[in-house]
Amino acid sequence: QPIRAAVSVVLDAAPIQANQRKNILMLLLTMALMLAAGALFTWHLLKRHVIAPVEVMAEAVGLRARGNEGIRIPVQADDEIGMLGRALNTLLDAEDTAQQKAERERALAQALFNLHAGAADKSETENLIGALQVADRTELCEVALLFGEVVLRGNRATKVDASGLDA
């Protein structure tokens, strides 16, 4: 014959529920700490690899805007930030070149003005030497010299035969 019986178990659920709450609280606290650690690590990576290089670039451009010439941006990465740094260096180099060219052209104009202003007081030989000195210091496309009624024109690629001149 089968045994028929009933068992009644009475348990207090309060300690089990308290343990569950404690475990859930510990899990949430652990997740919050891991999230905070991940956020700090991400901030550190962003600061080191994005924010700091962009701040260096901004400072370099600001220094250049205040008149410091020859500013270069140190490029250490081959990513997009590095590409931006190289592009800014190219721009700064082009600006340096343009400024140097403008200064040479200003110096040439001043030298030609001084040469022309002093031409009446100098001999033809002194004027020729002065013109040649100006031409040597600059990147002239063409030089024209006037000897009495004869005009000689030349550039760095062509040479003029001066054997027929009486100088």
Side-chain angles (χ1 to χ4, degrees):
Q1 280 261 341
I3 300 177
R4 292 185 190 170
V7 176
S8 171
V9 177
V10 178
L11 287 174
D12 185 15
I16 295 171
Q17 289 174 340
N19 193 24
Q20 274 184 328
R21 280 193 295 267
K22 180 180 148 192
N23 288 341
I24 289 173
L25 198 59
M26 289 299 290
L27 181 63
L28 289 175
L29 182 61
T30 303
M31 288 174 50
L33 287 174
M34 289 180 68
L35 184 63
L40 285 174
F41 181 71
T42 302
W43 172 253
H44 173 72
L45 287 178
L46 281 174
K47 179 74 173 158
R48 182 174 179 193
H49 295 287
V50 176
I51 297 170
V54 170
E55 286 175 344
V56 168
M57 290 179 213
E59 182 180 345
V61 171
L63 287 172
R64 181 54 186 260
R66 289 189 290 279
N68 292 346
E69 295 179 11
I71 296 293
R72 299 283 297 163
I73 296 169
V75 178
Q76 301 168 345
D78 288 331
D79 58 1
E80 289 81 4
I81 299 295
M83 288 172 39
L84 178 62
R86 284 188 292 280
L88 282 173
N89 280 336
T90 301
L91 180 68
L92 294 174
D93 290 344
E95 188 177 343
D96 284 341
T97 302
Q99 262 187 341
Q100 291 168 358
K101 183 178 179 186
E103 289 173 11
R104 283 193 310 266
E105 288 174 356
R106 185 193 56 74
L108 172 63
Q110 184 65 45
L112 290 175
F113 175 78
N114 292 344
L115 186 65
H116 178 63
D121 299 338
K122 296 181 181 176
S123 70
E124 289 180 356
T125 304
E126 289 172 323
N127 286 336
L128 173 62
I129 291 171
L132 292 175
Q133 287 173 340
V134 168
D136 186 48
R137 288 192 311 259
T138 59
E139 296 176 14
L140 295 176
C141 297
E142 182 179 76
V143 175
L145 300 174
L146 177 63
F147 286 97
E149 300 295 320
V150 179
V151 175
L152 297 175
R153 299 177 95 99
N155 58 37
R156 295 189 187 275
T158 62
K159 303 293 182 196
V160 176
D161 182 15
S163 62
L165 295 176
D166 183 23

